Amino acid sequence: MKTFFKYITAACLGIISLSSCNEDNDDIQLNPNDFVNPTITTTATTAELSEDTQNAVAFTFDWTDASFGVASPIKYDIEVTTAEGQFDEATILTSTTETTFDITGAELNAFVVEKLGLAENEEATIKYRIAAFLGTYGGANKLYSEPKTITLTPYSTSRETPWGLVGSATPNGWNGPDVKFWKTSTAGVLETYAYLAPDATGGIEFKIRKNNEWVEEFGGNIMSTTASSFEGTLVAGGSNITVPQAGHYHIKINLNEMTFSAEKYEFGITGDATPNSWDGPDAQLLTYDSANDVWIANNVTFTDGMIKFRVNNAWDINFGGSNGTLAPGGDNIQVTAGTYNIVLDLQNLAYSIIPAQ
């Protein structure tokens, strides 16, 4: 997702003369009679937001060049507020030197829900204008376009779905509750993680069903396997899917194409504070809690030292961080000797390491 940010305005421009924060604009003399405001040329007044089209462009902002009557670069802010809001308290959607800006459905939806506080699944109107300014950090002299409006209905940003994984291979067996599937960034493609293990008879089987019931359910056929993965087709009411070998898996189902895939995915803890140090293998494994979409490990014992979290005893996917914030490939995390309960929230890039009771 593009980064939404707000530039800090600084009193760099005078009414008649400018001493800019950008040295390229030093001692520029401005004449307000030469000023030309930007004009919005976008004709669209609605934006269609939905999960099905979230990765496509939902709205294009277009405007004409502004002018301060001098040969100096101009930047533009797209200022956005609610229908009832005031522009002096507007949020900056983006800043650019161009006179056009495309935003995807996912980006616009997140912006209006998280930044403007619009309610999900309720039609609303927002308003926007273009602010033009000289210099890197803006200034007291800004030129504004006339405001325009956009009508839209934000969709829910919840990742929850009614679908689940059930079977002898799953922790709760055929009676459930099921291992929950969660939405991905692609509509109709869902994911979960689970340890698929043999039952008392040695069978490792599962199916996909909706709402922990057998009203809508899928079996299927495995079409190909490797040492660390398998994939196949989903069939409504089909046969149980037999897992080639036990293990921790990242499982995806594609309800658009009626396919499934599973890849070995073992989340562990490595570092000199763990028994096997940095070379592994990672002795401290985490378990996926599908009900809350987090990874957990209880009663983990550390010595004084550093740790990180990684997948499959390799560094291709790893997380470090500090102060409760995770970062892909981030810094080593300092721990002190003791026994802890750990929670990783990969969706919100957060972690907790709390002394066990």
Side-chain angles (χ1 to χ4, degrees):
M1 180 178 294
K2 296 183 182 74
T3 301
F4 299 114
F5 55 91
K6 204 166 190 177
Y7 277 91
I8 302 173
T9 56
C12 300
L13 289 170
I15 298 299
I16 301 300
S17 65
L18 167 71
S19 178
S20 171
C21 295
N22 185 335
E23 62 184 25
D24 293 337
N25 294 329
D26 285 347
D27 301 322
I28 292 175
Q29 300 298 312
L30 298 179
N31 183 347
N33 293 326
D34 297 329
F35 292 177
V36 177
N37 292 59
T39 299
I40 296 171
T41 56
T42 300
T43 57
T45 58
T46 62
E48 297 298 326
L49 301 180
S50 73
E51 290 185 33
D52 292 339
T53 59
Q54 62 182 312
N55 296 320
V57 173
F59 200 82
T60 298
F61 298 86
D62 289 311
W63 59 93
T64 61
D65 283 310
S67 177
F68 286 87
V70 294
S72 183
I74 295 176
K75 280 195 172 184
Y76 301 94
D77 285 343
I78 301 178
E79 299 181 351
V80 187
T81 187
T82 61
E84 301 79 17
Q86 302 300 315
F87 278 110
D88 58 2
E89 297 178 348
T91 303
I92 305 303
L93 176 62
T94 193
S95 293
T96 178
T97 57
E98 305 296 326
T99 58
T100 186
F101 178 71
D102 291 333
I103 188 168
T104 67
E107 293 165 344
L108 183 55
N109 194 78
F111 179 82
V112 298
V113 171
E114 297 171 11
K115 302 297 184 180
L116 299 186
L118 297 189
E120 297 173 345
N121 302 315
E122 293 184 15
E123 185 177 274
T125 298
I126 61 175
K127 57 188 179 184
Y128 69 97
R129 69 180 182 183
I130 309 301
F133 57 92
L134 292 171
T136 303
Y137 298 103
N141 277 2
K142 285 192 174 185
L143 302 178
Y144 297 100
S145 71
E146 77 290 0
K148 291 289 185 75
T149 62
I150 307 172
T151 300
L152 41 73
T153 303
Y155 59 85
S156 172
T157 56
S158 169
R159 296 184 69 236
E160 291 204 42
T161 80
W163 293 96
L165 187 76
V166 65
S168 64
T170 65
N172 298 319
W174 288 107
N175 293 324
D178 304 350
V179 176
K180 293 175 64 173
F181 277 99
W182 297 83
K183 295 176 185 176
T184 68
S185 59
T186 302
V189 177
L190 315 181
E191 68 178 354
T192 192
Y193 302 84
Y195 181 69
L196 303 180
D199 61 15
T201 66
I204 315 176
E205 297 182 332
F206 71 85
K207 297 188 84 171
I208 311 299
R209 67 177 182 175
K210 192 174 185 179
N211 295 323
N212 289 277
E213 300 173 342
W214 292 106
V215 179
E216 290 186 65
E217 50 96 357
F218 300 108
N221 303 296
I222 291 180
M223 307 303 292
S224 65
T225 63
T226 70
S228 60
S229 66
F230 60 91
E231 60 184 24
T233 56
L234 292 173
V235 179
S239 302
N240 298 344
I241 299 168
T242 301
V243 180
Q245 59 178 305
H248 291 87
Y249 287 93
H250 178 199
I251 304 158
K252 289 186 176 182
I253 58 172
N254 187 326
L255 299 178
N256 307 313
E257 301 177 0
M258 293 298 289
T259 60
F260 66 88
S261 64
E263 186 174 6
K264 286 283 184 69
Y265 198 96
E266 191 170 74
F267 222 136
I269 307 171
T270 187
D272 57 19
T274 67
N276 296 329
S277 195
W278 291 107
D279 293 331
D282 302 344
Q284 315 280 358
L285 298 182
L286 293 100
T287 300
Y288 181 65
D289 175 2
S290 79
N292 298 295
D293 195 21
V294 295
W295 292 83
I296 60 175
N298 292 325
N299 298 313
V300 178
T301 300
F302 294 133
T303 59
D304 290 338
M306 299 286 190
I307 64 166
K308 293 190 80 171
F309 306 99
R310 66 178 182 174
V311 174
N312 296 336
N313 288 289
W315 293 105
D316 297 340
I317 302 174
N318 75 88
F319 294 86
S322 63
N323 299 319
T325 299
L326 280 178
D331 295 336
N332 300 339
I333 299 171
Q334 178 77 51
V335 295
T336 56
T339 301
Y340 298 89
N341 295 331
I342 297 172
V343 178
L344 297 187
D345 182 347
L346 299 184
Q347 294 304 314
N348 295 302
L349 289 178
Y351 72 89
S352 66
I353 301 176
I354 301 172
Q357 299 299 318

PDB file of all heavy atoms in Angstrom, residues 51-63:
ATOM      1  N   GLU A  51     -14.180  -5.845  -2.067  1.00  0.00           N
ATOM      2  CA  GLU A  51     -13.068  -6.779  -1.977  1.00  0.00           C
ATOM      3  C   GLU A  51     -12.697  -7.329  -3.341  1.00  0.00           C
ATOM      4  O   GLU A  51     -11.524  -7.589  -3.631  1.00  0.00           O
ATOM      5  CB  GLU A  51     -13.422  -7.935  -1.039  1.00  0.00           C
ATOM      6  CG  GLU A  51     -13.502  -7.539   0.421  1.00  0.00           C
ATOM      7  CD  GLU A  51     -13.731  -8.736   1.307  1.00  0.00           C
ATOM      8  OE1 GLU A  51     -13.236  -9.827   0.985  1.00  0.00           O
ATOM      9  OE2 GLU A  51     -14.411  -8.595   2.329  1.00  0.00           O
ATOM     10  N   ASP A  52     -13.691  -7.509  -4.213  1.00  0.00           N
ATOM     11  CA  ASP A  52     -13.425  -8.091  -5.531  1.00  0.00           C
ATOM     12  C   ASP A  52     -12.542  -7.194  -6.384  1.00  0.00           C
ATOM     13  O   ASP A  52     -11.818  -7.679  -7.257  1.00  0.00           O
ATOM     14  CB  ASP A  52     -14.738  -8.357  -6.266  1.00  0.00           C
ATOM     15  CG  ASP A  52     -15.547  -9.472  -5.610  1.00  0.00           C
ATOM     16  OD1 ASP A  52     -14.948 -10.283  -4.874  1.00  0.00           O
ATOM     17  OD2 ASP A  52     -16.775  -9.517  -5.820  1.00  0.00           O
ATOM     18  N   THR A  53     -12.609  -5.874  -6.158  1.00  0.00           N
ATOM     19  CA  THR A  53     -11.847  -4.941  -7.001  1.00  0.00           C
ATOM     20  C   THR A  53     -10.812  -4.169  -6.192  1.00  0.00           C
ATOM     21  O   THR A  53     -10.336  -3.128  -6.632  1.00  0.00           O
ATOM     22  CB  THR A  53     -12.804  -3.950  -7.680  1.00  0.00           C
ATOM     23  OG1 THR A  53     -13.533  -3.221  -6.672  1.00  0.00           O
ATOM     24  CG2 THR A  53     -13.795  -4.672  -8.582  1.00  0.00           C
ATOM     25  N   GLN A  54     -10.445  -4.692  -5.016  1.00  0.00           N
ATOM     26  CA  GLN A  54      -9.595  -3.927  -4.108  1.00  0.00           C
ATOM     27  C   GLN A  54      -8.213  -3.622  -4.675  1.00  0.00           C
ATOM     28  O   GLN A  54      -7.588  -2.635  -4.290  1.00  0.00           O
ATOM     29  CB  GLN A  54      -9.458  -4.669  -2.779  1.00  0.00           C
ATOM     30  CG  GLN A  54      -8.806  -6.033  -2.879  1.00  0.00           C
ATOM     31  CD  GLN A  54      -8.740  -6.733  -1.536  1.00  0.00           C
ATOM     32  OE1 GLN A  54      -8.334  -6.131  -0.555  1.00  0.00           O
ATOM     33  NE2 GLN A  54      -9.137  -7.987  -1.479  1.00  0.00           N
ATOM     34  N   ASN A  55      -7.715  -4.450  -5.577  1.00  0.00           N
ATOM     35  CA  ASN A  55      -6.370  -4.219  -6.112  1.00  0.00           C
ATOM     36  C   ASN A  55      -6.361  -3.385  -7.385  1.00  0.00           C
ATOM     37  O   ASN A  55      -5.304  -3.078  -7.928  1.00  0.00           O
ATOM     38  CB  ASN A  55      -5.675  -5.563  -6.364  1.00  0.00           C
ATOM     39  CG  ASN A  55      -5.445  -6.337  -5.073  1.00  0.00           C
ATOM     40  OD1 ASN A  55      -5.092  -5.756  -4.053  1.00  0.00           O
ATOM     41  ND2 ASN A  55      -5.673  -7.636  -5.103  1.00  0.00           N
ATOM     42  N   ALA A  56      -7.538  -3.010  -7.863  1.00  0.00           N
ATOM     43  CA  ALA A  56      -7.642  -2.161  -9.055  1.00  0.00           C
ATOM     44  C   ALA A  56      -7.731  -0.694  -8.635  1.00  0.00           C
ATOM     45  O   ALA A  56      -8.047  -0.367  -7.486  1.00  0.00           O
ATOM     46  CB  ALA A  56      -8.876  -2.544  -9.864  1.00  0.00           C
ATOM     47  N   VAL A  57      -7.443   0.209  -9.586  1.00  0.00           N
ATOM     48  CA  VAL A  57      -7.564   1.641  -9.306  1.00  0.00           C
ATOM     49  C   VAL A  57      -9.029   1.982  -9.071  1.00  0.00           C
ATOM     50  O   VAL A  57      -9.892   1.692  -9.898  1.00  0.00           O
ATOM     51  CB  VAL A  57      -7.005   2.478 -10.473  1.00  0.00           C
ATOM     52  CG1 VAL A  57      -7.295   3.959 -10.265  1.00  0.00           C
ATOM     53  CG2 VAL A  57      -5.504   2.252 -10.613  1.00  0.00           C
ATOM     54  N   ALA A  58      -9.310   2.598  -7.930  1.00  0.00           N
ATOM     55  CA  ALA A  58     -10.687   2.957  -7.581  1.00  0.00           C
ATOM     56  C   ALA A  58     -11.000   4.405  -7.929  1.00  0.00           C
ATOM     57  O   ALA A  58     -12.169   4.747  -8.171  1.00  0.00           O
ATOM     58  CB  ALA A  58     -10.935   2.726  -6.093  1.00  0.00           C
ATOM     59  N   PHE A  59      -9.971   5.252  -7.938  1.00  0.00           N
ATOM     60  CA  PHE A  59     -10.208   6.671  -8.212  1.00  0.00           C
ATOM     61  C   PHE A  59      -8.911   7.298  -8.713  1.00  0.00           C
ATOM     62  O   PHE A  59      -7.825   6.970  -8.233  1.00  0.00           O
ATOM     63  CB  PHE A  59     -10.674   7.404  -6.947  1.00  0.00           C
ATOM     64  CG  PHE A  59     -11.380   8.699  -7.216  1.00  0.00           C
ATOM     65  CD1 PHE A  59     -12.719   8.724  -7.545  1.00  0.00           C
ATOM     66  CD2 PHE A  59     -10.696   9.907  -7.160  1.00  0.00           C
ATOM     67  CE1 PHE A  59     -13.372   9.926  -7.784  1.00  0.00           C
ATOM     68  CE2 PHE A  59     -11.329  11.102  -7.401  1.00  0.00           C
ATOM     69  CZ  PHE A  59     -12.677  11.118  -7.724  1.00  0.00           C
ATOM     70  N   THR A  60      -9.049   8.203  -9.678  1.00  0.00           N
ATOM     71  CA  THR A  60      -7.911   8.949 -10.206  1.00  0.00           C
ATOM     72  C   THR A  60      -8.133  10.436  -9.970  1.00  0.00           C
ATOM     73  O   THR A  60      -9.151  10.997 -10.386  1.00  0.00           O
ATOM     74  CB  THR A  60      -7.717   8.694 -11.709  1.00  0.00           C
ATOM     75  OG1 THR A  60      -7.435   7.303 -11.914  1.00  0.00           O
ATOM     76  CG2 THR A  60      -6.554   9.523 -12.254  1.00  0.00           C
ATOM     77  N   PHE A  61      -7.206  11.058  -9.266  1.00  0.00           N
ATOM     78  CA  PHE A  61      -7.241  12.503  -9.021  1.00  0.00           C
ATOM     79  C   PHE A  61      -6.424  13.190 -10.112  1.00  0.00           C
ATOM     80  O   PHE A  61      -5.243  12.866 -10.301  1.00  0.00           O
ATOM     81  CB  PHE A  61      -6.636  12.824  -7.658  1.00  0.00           C
ATOM     82  CG  PHE A  61      -7.359  12.224  -6.488  1.00  0.00           C
ATOM     83  CD1 PHE A  61      -7.070  10.930  -6.058  1.00  0.00           C
ATOM     84  CD2 PHE A  61      -8.332  12.952  -5.807  1.00  0.00           C
ATOM     85  CE1 PHE A  61      -7.726  10.381  -4.971  1.00  0.00           C
ATOM     86  CE2 PHE A  61      -8.997  12.406  -4.717  1.00  0.00           C
ATOM     87  CZ  PHE A  61      -8.699  11.114  -4.300  1.00  0.00           C
ATOM     88  N   ASP A  62      -7.030  14.111 -10.824  1.00  0.00           N
ATOM     89  CA  ASP A  62      -6.346  14.889 -11.867  1.00  0.00           C
ATOM     90  C   ASP A  62      -6.575  16.370 -11.622  1.00  0.00           C
ATOM     91  O   ASP A  62      -7.674  16.787 -11.212  1.00  0.00           O
ATOM     92  CB  ASP A  62      -6.873  14.531 -13.261  1.00  0.00           C
ATOM     93  CG  ASP A  62      -6.440  13.155 -13.716  1.00  0.00           C
ATOM     94  OD1 ASP A  62      -5.243  12.842 -13.612  1.00  0.00           O
ATOM     95  OD2 ASP A  62      -7.315  12.385 -14.168  1.00  0.00           O
ATOM     96  N   TRP A  63      -5.547  17.186 -11.906  1.00  0.00           N
ATOM     97  CA  TRP A  63      -5.682  18.632 -11.755  1.00  0.00           C
ATOM     98  C   TRP A  63      -4.676  19.333 -12.668  1.00  0.00           C
ATOM     99  O   TRP A  63      -3.733  18.723 -13.178  1.00  0.00           O
ATOM    100  CB  TRP A  63      -5.486  19.057 -10.298  1.00  0.00           C
ATOM    101  CG  TRP A  63      -4.144  18.695  -9.706  1.00  0.00           C
ATOM    102  CD1 TRP A  63      -3.018  19.466  -9.668  1.00  0.00           C
ATOM    103  CD2 TRP A  63      -3.777  17.442  -9.075  1.00  0.00           C
ATOM    104  NE1 TRP A  63      -1.994  18.802  -9.055  1.00  0.00           N
ATOM    105  CE2 TRP A  63      -2.425  17.567  -8.673  1.00  0.00           C
ATOM    106  CE3 TRP A  63      -4.452  16.256  -8.817  1.00  0.00           C
ATOM    107  CZ2 TRP A  63      -1.751  16.527  -8.039  1.00  0.00           C
ATOM    108  CZ3 TRP A  63      -3.780  15.227  -8.174  1.00  0.00           C
ATOM    109  CH2 TRP A  63      -2.443  15.375  -7.787  1.00  0.00           C
TER     110      TRP A  63
END
